[in-house]
Amino acid sequence: MTSLRFPSLLTLMIAASSHAAEQKEVQDMSDPLAVYTQVGVGATNKGLNFKVGQAYDTGIATTAGMNVFEVKGIYGDALGWESDSKTTDSIDSFRFRNFSVDLSTMSATQIDANYNLNANLVADESMDVSYSYIKALKPMGRFTFYPLAGVGASLGENTLEDDGSRDSGYSIIGAYGLVGMYAKITINDKIWLNYNPFWLTTIGGSDNYKDHYYGLNQSHILTHEFAASYQINPRMNLRYFANWNENVDFMDGDHRLEFNYQL
């Protein structure tokens, strides 16, 4: 199980702070396509989350880029409020995103990698890496929609083969597709709500992967995310998130309160 290394997290945060001078204009933190250097921390039912995001120059005048790195589920037993059977004091997962926005069309491409340290029905540990396209539609009153579509590959450690044997080490276990949407409802200049549904389905790989990756006899899954956000000042906000899916009720899902600061 991955050990906890706070110095490395602090190093990342300090590195992001050193690039703050590159951020000349405060960005709209309610916009899912906004690109800016940031740090964040979240208190969740499964421990602490840390986030560092760095905007960078793509070399193209009409394009903005950003890398975001997250560590999730730190000290889940000590600081979370889930039952001990669902948490540990080790890290649960890592997430890395590379985000590139075309400012002339208000569209974006995203590489999203999620590494899960908890076992599932297919592997002891797994990573999903996807490439997706996002488009901002014209606002309709208080509503703005950002549809998304993409494809991805799943990798696993010690994966379960169709014949019941284990493939030691790391291997590619299958491919999947996803479609979804970020939806924003603006309440006023400081408060907004989001609802973000995503549908994922396996499209190739071993039979075990295609049939059970999202749960027993589940080749696809519909996930939900709700967020309520308050902008404290132009650079600082407080956000509540809830994540659940068709197999997990809202109350049994993941909940977090997250503080974000734009550098």
Side-chain angles (χ1 to χ4, degrees):
M1 187 65 71
T2 299
S3 61
L4 197 59
R5 294 185 175 92
F6 279 110
S8 61
L9 290 174
L10 292 173
T11 300
L12 285 170
M13 296 178 77
I14 292 169
S17 296
S18 69
H19 289 83
E22 299 176 7
Q23 188 66 42
K24 298 180 180 179
E25 183 179 346
V26 177
Q27 302 297 305
D28 178 5
M29 297 177 74
S30 73
D31 184 355
L33 299 189
V35 168
Y36 51 90
T37 299
Q38 60 185 292
V39 292
V41 60
T44 86
N45 57 325
K46 295 181 179 178
L48 297 179
N49 293 357
F50 289 97
K51 176 172 66 177
V52 177
Q54 181 185 324
Y56 64 89
D57 185 359
T58 65
I60 303 173
T62 58
T63 304
M66 176 172 64
N67 291 319
V68 182
F69 180 72
E70 298 177 70
V71 183
K72 302 180 181 182
I74 303 169
Y75 283 137
D77 280 352
L79 301 176
W81 57 90
E82 282 283 3
S83 65
D84 291 344
S85 63
K86 296 183 179 180
T87 59
T88 69
D89 277 337
S90 298
I91 294 167
D92 284 344
S93 63
F94 299 94
R95 185 182 186 188
F96 170 79
R97 287 177 288 159
N98 173 265
F99 199 60
S100 181
V101 180
D102 186 332
L103 303 174
S104 64
T105 62
M106 290 313 297
S107 60
T109 57
Q110 178 177 259
I111 298 173
D112 190 353
N114 287 274
Y115 193 103
N116 188 354
L117 295 168
N118 297 318
N120 56 30
L121 295 175
V122 177
D124 289 347
E125 296 180 3
S126 59
M127 181 169 69
D128 295 326
V129 183
S130 65
Y131 178 85
S132 56
Y133 177 81
I134 310 167
K135 173 66 177 177
L137 302 183
K138 184 177 179 180
M140 296 180 288
R142 295 180 181 271
F143 297 87
T144 310
F145 300 100
Y146 305 79
L148 173 152
V151 293
S154 299
L155 296 83
E157 181 187 29
N158 301 330
T159 59
L160 181 63
E161 298 296 313
D162 292 341
D163 61 6
S165 64
R166 286 281 178 178
D167 183 9
S168 62
Y170 290 91
S171 58
I172 298 175
I173 52 179
Y176 65 96
L178 67 154
V179 292
M181 177 182 65
Y182 295 100
K184 184 179 76 169
I185 306 171
T186 302
I187 305 302
N188 55 42
D189 60 351
K190 289 185 174 293
I191 300 172
W192 71 96
L193 306 176
N194 294 96
Y195 172 60
N196 310 321
F198 288 91
W199 185 73
L200 301 94
T201 182
T202 58
I203 56 178
S206 68
D207 290 339
N208 192 45
Y209 170 81
K210 290 186 292 183
D211 294 341
H212 307 298
Y213 193 62
Y214 298 113
L216 184 63
N217 298 319
Q218 292 229 220
S219 62
H220 53 79
I221 193 169
L222 177 63
T223 68
H224 308 272
E225 180 176 72
F226 169 79
S229 307
Y230 176 72
Q231 195 71 32
I232 301 169
N233 62 43
R235 291 189 180 272
M236 193 182 306
N237 66 34
L238 191 65
R239 309 191 71 187
Y240 162 73
F241 288 88
N243 294 89
W244 72 104
N245 59 55
E246 60 185 89
N247 302 320
V248 178
D249 292 338
F250 175 88
M251 293 303 297
D252 294 328
D254 294 341
H255 301 268
R256 72 183 186 273
L257 190 63
E258 183 177 278
F259 172 80
N260 295 287
Y261 183 73
Q262 181 178 168
L263 297 171

